[in-house]
Amino acid sequence: MIEKKELIEIGKFQKTHALKGELNAVLNIDPEYVEEGNPLIIETDGIPVPFYAESIRPKGASSYLIKLEGVDSVEEADELVNNLIFAPRKDVEDYMGEELLLGDDLEGYRVVDKDLGEIGVLESIDSSTENELFVVRTPDDEEVYIPIVDDFIVDIDQENGIINTSLPEGLVDLNVKGE
């Protein structure tokens, strides 16, 4: 059985297309990954189930029409609408030729700013808003929210478990409770 922790999100089915079971999907991976016959994992009744693309074609700048094997009607396709699309993390890493570092992998890393020094320890990633946030626990047991923006992250030192940042002046102070 496929375990959820072994998967990585690669897209989402948005709606059905036509009558033969095609689905409109947004992918955040090169569509060649799908064309090469790699499995697309869709959670069905809480169970990750592998599907394979029979065909894929572009529809607009970032969406694709995907016909899955065994999904042959609009009714069958409709059951997959709004489902996230996952792939085995190992397959994606092999395809991309690099190890992927995901948010969950960073929990427990120290967050160190180039000007402020150590801010605290990454407790979690808040994905409840459109902009994801690092939730950092300070030595004073305060929570600091840092937007996950490429411009703010200098590098990630996996060997030492450190996220090096360059934050705008005053950002951390926005989170400190008043006296």
Side-chain angles (χ1 to χ4, degrees):
M1 180 162 150
I2 304 166
E3 296 207 26
K4 184 94 171 166
K5 67 180 180 185
E6 298 170 4
L7 301 176
I8 182 171
E9 183 183 326
I10 62 166
K12 182 177 182 177
F13 289 121
Q14 294 186 310
K15 59 185 177 179
T16 60
H17 179 79
L19 301 174
K20 300 281 187 196
E22 277 187 309
L23 288 148
N24 187 346
V26 173
L27 297 176
N28 53 21
I29 192 168
D30 188 324
E32 280 187 23
Y33 174 84
V34 177
E35 290 171 349
E36 290 180 4
N38 289 298
L40 303 177
I41 312 295
I42 296 118
E43 216 171 273
T44 306
D45 296 325
I47 299 168
V49 178
F51 287 84
Y52 294 88
E54 193 173 288
S55 65
I56 180 172
R57 57 192 170 108
K59 182 182 189 266
S62 63
S63 64
Y64 299 87
L65 296 176
I66 299 176
K67 169 69 175 77
L68 297 174
E69 292 177 1
V71 177
D72 299 316
S73 70
V74 70
E75 294 80 18
E76 291 172 327
D78 196 47
E79 292 180 25
L80 301 175
V81 169
N82 292 323
N83 278 331
L84 296 174
I85 304 168
F86 297 92
R89 182 175 177 168
K90 175 103 176 75
D91 289 357
V92 173
E93 288 176 339
D94 289 347
Y95 175 78
M96 296 179 72
E98 62 183 79
E99 186 178 332
L100 299 175
L101 191 60
L102 304 177
D104 291 348
D105 299 331
L106 300 175
E107 290 177 10
Y109 275 41
R110 293 183 4 236
V111 178
V112 179
D113 187 73
K114 71 177 184 72
D115 294 324
L116 301 171
E118 185 152 344
I119 297 171
V121 175
L122 181 65
E123 199 168 71
S124 64
I125 293 181
D126 181 346
S127 301
S128 65
T129 63
E130 191 167 325
N131 298 315
E132 291 186 314
L133 304 166
F134 284 143
V135 180
V136 179
R137 179 71 55 190
T138 69
D140 297 332
D141 204 32
E142 296 280 338
E143 278 187 347
V144 173
Y145 294 90
I146 300 171
I148 302 175
V149 178
D150 287 342
D151 290 345
F152 295 173
I153 301 170
V154 175
D155 69 16
I156 298 174
D157 179 350
Q158 288 181 270
E159 190 173 313
N160 296 305
I162 299 172
I163 301 170
N164 291 299
T165 63
S166 177
L167 301 176
E169 187 176 328
L171 179 72
V172 173
D173 297 334
L174 291 173
N175 295 275
V176 178
K177 293 179 183 170
E179 307 284 324

